[in-house]
Amino acid sequence: MPTDSSIDLFSKPAAGLVPGLGDGRPPRGLTKAGWVRTTGWLQVGHHPVSSAHIAAFAGLLWSLVGAAVVVTSRPVVAGVLVITTPAVCGVSWWLFTVLVRPASSARNTGTKRADELTPGDLIRLYGTIGPVGQVVAVTSGEELLVTLHGGWHRTWARDHVLHVVELLS
C-alpha cells in the first residue's frame, strides 16, 4: 500500500539486508523490531572495551571500599572480597548480556553524512553509542527519510553526521 510519500507500509525489508556478522550469522542483540541492541560505551581508538571489563572494574572499586571497612577486623575476608568481587561482577554482566538480554558488541568505524548513506550500512541510531540499525533505503526530499531493517524510519538533515559501525558478536 503506497502512501503519498511513496513508502510501501506493508513491504518486507529486502532479504539480503538483514543485519549480520561478517560470517553471515545474525548478531546476538538482534531484536524482533530489526535493530541491534549493543553493549559497552567505551572505545579506545578502534578497539571497543568490553562492558564486562567495565563491570569488573566497578566491582573492584566497590570491593576496595568494602575491604577498607573490614580489613582491621577481618583481613582474610577483605582479601577474598577484593579477589572475588570483580570476577563475580564481570561474569555476571557477561551472562546477563549473553543470556538474559542478549546484546552485541560493536565497533564504531567512522562517520558518514546522512546523504552518503547506502543500503546495507550499519549505523548508530542515537549518536556515538546505543542501538544499531541497518539502512534499507534512503529517500531524498527536503530531509532524508532513511528506512531501516524492520520497518523503522528516521528523518535526518542531509548534513547530519552518523556513526557507522561493525558488529562483532
Side-chain angles (χ1 to χ4, degrees), residues 18-145:
V18 176
L21 303 175
D23 60 5
R25 291 180 298 133
R28 185 171 58 208
L30 184 61
T31 64
K32 291 179 183 175
W35 51 273
V36 180
R37 183 183 302 111
T38 61
T39 67
W41 49 267
L42 182 61
Q43 183 171 320
V44 178
H46 286 291
H47 305 287
V49 176
S50 170
S51 59
H53 291 133
I54 295 169
F57 182 70
L60 175 64
L61 294 178
W62 280 108
S63 69
L64 290 173
V65 170
V69 170
V70 299
V71 72
T72 55
S73 62
R74 294 188 172 94
V76 174
V77 171
V80 170
L81 189 67
V82 170
I83 292 171
T84 59
T85 302
V88 169
C89 290
V91 169
S92 298
W93 182 253
W94 180 81
L95 288 171
F96 181 77
T97 61
V98 170
L99 301 175
V100 180
R101 290 285 284 186
S104 297
S105 56
R107 170 185 20 233
N108 291 355
T109 58
T111 58
K112 277 189 175 183
R113 288 181 6 182
D115 61 355
E116 297 172 338
L117 291 175
T118 57
D121 284 343
L122 293 168
I123 57 171
R124 295 278 186 185
L125 300 178
Y126 307 109
T128 60
I129 62 173
V132 171
Q134 185 167 27
V135 176
V136 173
V138 179
T139 306
S140 293
E142 202 171 296
E143 291 186 324
L144 293 174
L145 176 67

